[in-house]
């Protein structure tokens, strides 16, 4: 007898339908075969399904069982096919009457028949909505994740036996409640606050501009100046995730298997990989492509501390993601794309010893060491960073003094959200979300400059020897400064402030 159960496979960040066809032949020697390009985890499903069926009180047919995972040319990975295979055997053997109908089924089975959580449940649920499947059967731990999607009925399955009793109408299950959207937009609680940072007013201003416009930022200063603390504080001033962004980031973390106990991602990601990370770890990929740190930081902050210490190949690999906000990984069998709309925050010392240019400490580096250190970062990668600031050591008077005048992250976030609201209204009906997303054509269309501003820019380009990319990045930063000030048009003082954040040539080297 033949039975078919609907399941899915993850390709990139999306799911594609997979038909789990189970045929139990009346003739032939007992065997259990799985075809359809299964990987090792899918092959091992035979033993998990066999034991789960027996320990759940069902019979495992001593016949020739063939399981086909269609389409046959799509590689099948992971243990999510355990539950649909077991359900298909129950249907094909006649132990469970009827069919699975238009229901999407996935889950990993333990040997005692309980259902374990799996990766990629949110893409599966989105596929069910797209294909108009009626119901989705998911592991109990994954139910809150799947319940984010509307217009589908989600059933949380804790064991194979509970699924059997539900489909046989002996003990029907209640649908999982929909996730209340109001609970997703509660106030974020951050361990870091702007009010806790003493001094560094210019750096705080640069962080505010970067958060408001989605601009990349590079901080340069001696050890202990507070660069890492400033970077970690940036998440506290970013706007809260929208519902669409929650779906987007949760889908990424679900596929990467990094959701943990948090079924839903409700805060902006902050990723800080070590400089010893590999290229695949940063960008993503592998024989079975997985998202890297850049994609895991999507809609959030990617912090690269000790920026020049990263291998040059890793740093240069960031060029295309910073421009296009996407990463395309090509392999012999497949080609996948991952989103990478991140705000890059990088930090570095001015020299190998860290004290070049400091008045209180003497630099011990030779001129050749200084030049080699500075050349670790290429011009093209520095050109893609909008804001370059110096973070000097904090005087002891400020460290020991009161910090009552410092603004809290809540106040700064209010201004950032106001600037983001203006950008949302400006870019309504387009793919753009922030000023940093604008192309040169978009800049010419949305950021109209007065003749005074153009004259100031022409003089700056000639004096500072700026590239064409830098020219448009200055305008984008100036537009963000104008948005923070509540101005409808860019003014000369906004251009002047934006010019302050371009990198300075060190003539002493």
């Amino acid at each position: 007898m033949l039975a078919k159960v609907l399941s899915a496979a993850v390709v990139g960040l999306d799911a594609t339908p997979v038909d789990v066809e189970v045929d139990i032949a009346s003739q032939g020697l007992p065997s259990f075969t799985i075809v359809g390009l299964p990987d090792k985890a899918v092959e091992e499903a035979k033993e998990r399904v066999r034991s789960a069926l027996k320990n759940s009180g069902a019979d495992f047919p001593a016949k020739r069982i063939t399981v086909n995972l269609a389409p046959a040319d799509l590689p099948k990975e992971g243990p999510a096919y355990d539950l649909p295979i077991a359900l298909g055997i129950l249907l094909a053997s006649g132990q469970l009457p009827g069919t699975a109908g238009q229901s999407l089924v996935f889950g990993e089975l333990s040997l005692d028949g309980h259902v374990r959580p799996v990766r990629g449940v949110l893409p599966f649920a989105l596929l069910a909505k797209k294909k108009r499947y009626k119901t989705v059967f998911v592991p109990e731990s994954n139910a809150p994740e799947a319940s984010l999607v509307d217009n589908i009925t989600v059933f949380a399955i804790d064991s194979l036996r509970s699924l059997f009793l539900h489909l046989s109408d002996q003990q029907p299950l209640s649908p999982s409640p929909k996730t209340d959207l109001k609970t997703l937009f509660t106030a974020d609680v951050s361990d870091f606050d702007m009010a806790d940072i003493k001094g560094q007013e210019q750096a705080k201003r640069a962080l505010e501009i970067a958060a408001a416009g989605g601009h990349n930022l590079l901080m340069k200063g001696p050890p202990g100046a507070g660069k890492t603390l400033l970077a970690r504080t940036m998440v506290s001033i970013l706007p809260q995730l929208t519902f669409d962004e929650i779906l987007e980031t949760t889908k990424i973390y679900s596929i990467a298997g990094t959701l943990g106990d948090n079924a839903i991602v409700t805060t902006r990601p902050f990723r800080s990989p070590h400089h010893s990370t590999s290229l695949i770890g940063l960008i993503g990929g592998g024989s079975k492509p997985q998202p890297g740190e850049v994609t895991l930081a999507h809609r959030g902050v990617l912090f690269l501390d000790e920026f020049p210490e990263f291998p040059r190949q890793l740093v240069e690999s960031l060029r295309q993601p910073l421009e296009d906000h996407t990463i395309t990984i090509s392999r012999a069998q497949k080609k996948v794309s991952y989103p990478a709309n991140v705000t890059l925050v990088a930090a570095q010392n001015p020299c190998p010893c860290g004290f070049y240019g400091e008045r209180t400490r003497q630099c011990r580096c030779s001129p050749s060491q200084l030049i080699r250190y500075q050349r670790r970062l290429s011009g093209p990668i520095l050109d893609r960073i909008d804001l370059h600031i110096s973070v000097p050591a904090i005087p002891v008077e400020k460290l020991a003094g009161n910090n009552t005048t410092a603004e809290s992250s809540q106040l700064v976030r209010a201004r950032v959200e106001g600037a983001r609201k203006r950008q949302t209204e400006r870019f309504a009906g387009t793919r753009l979300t922030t000023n940093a997303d604008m192309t040169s054509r978009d800049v010419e269309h949305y950021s109209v400059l007065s003749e005074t501003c153009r004259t100031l820019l022409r003089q700056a380009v000639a004096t500072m020897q700026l590239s064409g990319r830098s020219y448009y990045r200055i305008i984008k930063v100036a537009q963000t400064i104008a948005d923070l000030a509540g101005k409808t048009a860019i003014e000369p003082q906004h251009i002047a402030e934006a010019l302050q954040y371009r990198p300075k040539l060190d003539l002493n080297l």
Side-chain angles (χ1 to χ4, degrees):
M1 185 175 176
L2 178 67
K4 185 171 76 170
V5 180
L6 299 177
S7 190
V10 175
V11 179
L13 289 185
D14 298 314
T16 186
V18 171
D19 294 335
V20 180
E21 300 172 335
V22 179
D23 178 69
I24 300 180
S26 58
Q27 297 179 345
L29 295 175
S31 64
F32 192 176
T33 306
I34 299 177
V35 298
L37 289 184
D39 70 348
K40 186 64 174 177
V42 181
E43 282 283 353
E44 292 173 347
K46 293 185 288 188
E47 303 305 323
R48 292 192 296 270
V49 169
R50 190 195 309 270
S51 298
L53 285 170
K54 291 182 178 179
N55 292 324
S56 298
D59 293 329
F60 185 82
K63 297 181 179 180
R64 183 176 181 178
I65 303 174
T66 304
V67 177
N68 179 39
L69 305 177
D73 60 345
L74 178 68
K76 316 301 186 305
E77 303 168 357
Y81 303 102
D82 291 2
L83 191 59
I85 290 174
L87 179 58
I89 292 176
L90 290 173
L91 292 170
S93 62
Q95 300 179 66
L96 188 62
T99 64
Q102 293 296 305
S103 301
L104 204 62
V105 184
F106 36 85
E108 177 186 351
L109 288 174
S110 60
L111 297 183
D112 62 358
H114 282 84
V115 181
R116 299 178 182 272
V118 295
R119 299 183 181 185
V121 168
L122 183 55
F124 291 168
L126 291 171
L127 173 68
K129 178 182 178 181
K130 179 181 178 182
K131 296 293 184 180
R132 298 183 179 179
Y133 296 146
K134 297 179 180 179
T135 55
V136 176
F137 294 100
V138 302
E140 190 173 31
S141 301
N142 296 126
E145 182 184 342
S147 297
L148 278 173
V149 183
D150 55 4
N151 298 327
I152 61 171
T153 302
V154 178
F155 289 100
I157 308 300
D158 64 344
S159 65
L160 178 60
R161 180 171 178 80
S162 66
L163 177 60
F164 177 88
L165 295 176
H166 170 77
L167 293 177
S168 60
D169 293 329
Q170 298 182 46
Q171 292 182 13
L173 297 171
S174 299
S176 296
K178 292 298 179 184
T179 303
D180 187 4
L181 299 184
K182 294 181 180 179
T183 62
L184 302 180
F185 298 98
T186 55
D188 296 337
V189 178
S190 177
D191 296 332
F192 305 93
D193 195 281
M194 281 284 189
D196 300 330
I197 302 177
K198 298 185 178 182
Q200 307 297 9
E201 281 76 14
Q202 184 186 21
K204 292 180 184 179
R205 172 63 173 172
L207 282 174
E208 181 179 343
I209 296 171
H215 303 288
N216 302 319
L217 171 68
L218 174 62
M219 297 181 287
K220 182 187 294 186
K227 302 185 294 296
T228 302
L229 178 60
L230 285 164
R232 292 187 179 276
T233 308
M234 185 169 178
V235 178
S236 66
I237 65 174
L238 286 169
Q240 290 183 335
L241 289 169
T242 65
F243 178 64
D244 289 340
E245 290 174 339
I246 287 176
L247 284 179
E248 200 173 15
T249 53
T250 301
K251 184 164 66 170
I252 293 170
Y253 277 74
S254 175
I255 290 172
T258 54
L259 277 178
D261 296 334
N262 302 318
I264 303 166
V265 177
T266 59
T267 58
R268 298 270 176 184
F270 180 89
R271 306 294 298 187
S272 180
H274 192 259
H275 58 76
S276 62
T277 188
S278 66
L279 180 63
I280 291 177
L282 182 66
I283 298 298
S287 57
K288 300 176 182 178
Q290 288 290 312
E293 290 290 337
V294 179
T295 300
L296 293 173
H298 181 62
R299 301 296 181 187
V301 176
L302 176 66
F303 177 50
L304 300 183
D305 200 6
E306 305 296 341
F307 198 28
E309 299 298 333
F310 281 80
R312 191 179 184 91
Q313 182 185 11
L314 264 69
V315 175
E316 297 303 317
S317 68
L318 294 173
R319 288 195 196 180
Q320 182 260 339
L322 292 180
E323 284 287 328
D324 302 335
H325 301 315
T326 185
I327 293 175
T328 301
I329 299 172
S330 298
R331 294 292 182 264
Q333 294 183 345
K334 66 174 70 172
K335 178 180 179 182
V336 297
S337 294
Y338 296 123
N341 193 347
V342 303
T343 299
L344 173 65
V345 178
Q348 70 168 96
N349 295 327
C351 66
C353 77
F355 299 104
Y356 176 72
E358 286 295 304
R359 298 178 180 178
T360 56
R361 299 283 297 272
Q362 185 176 359
C363 176
R364 302 187 301 271
C365 302
S366 64
S368 60
Q369 288 178 313
L370 286 171
I371 293 174
R372 281 198 302 271
Y373 188 77
Q374 296 293 344
R375 286 180 177 175
R376 289 182 182 179
L377 299 178
S378 66
I381 199 69
L382 292 175
D383 212 25
R384 285 168 168 80
I385 298 177
D386 301 338
L387 305 170
H388 297 249
I389 59 169
S390 176
V391 183
I394 306 175
V396 66
E397 293 80 10
K398 287 191 176 182
L399 288 175
N402 294 326
N403 200 35
T404 56
T405 59
E407 288 185 310
S408 66
S409 292
Q410 186 176 2
L411 293 175
V412 179
R413 173 186 273 189
R415 291 198 298 270
V416 170
E417 289 178 341
R420 287 284 184 106
K421 183 179 179 181
R422 294 182 185 92
Q423 293 168 56
T424 301
E425 294 172 352
R426 180 184 303 124
F427 302 135
T430 69
R431 56 173 180 76
L432 305 174
T433 55
T434 62
N435 291 327
D437 297 335
M438 290 192 292
T439 63
S440 57
R441 178 180 295 180
D442 296 325
V443 171
E444 296 289 348
H445 178 70
Y446 292 106
S447 302
V448 181
L449 301 178
S450 64
E451 188 57 36
T452 305
C453 292
R454 291 188 180 278
T455 301
L456 180 59
L457 263 178
R458 282 196 293 268
Q459 293 174 350
V461 168
T463 304
M464 302 173 65
Q465 301 178 2
L466 300 176
S467 66
R469 181 185 291 113
S470 296
Y471 172 84
Y472 286 107
R473 288 187 178 273
I474 290 171
I475 298 176
K476 288 190 281 188
V477 172
Q479 182 67 72
T480 300
I481 296 171
D483 291 337
L484 286 169
K487 302 294 184 179
T488 57
I490 299 175
E491 299 177 359
Q493 60 266 30
H494 304 147
I495 296 288
E497 183 177 358
L499 287 169
Q500 295 178 10
Y501 299 116
R502 295 311 303 168
K504 279 70 175 180
L505 295 176
D506 197 335
L507 301 178
N508 295 322
L509 290 183

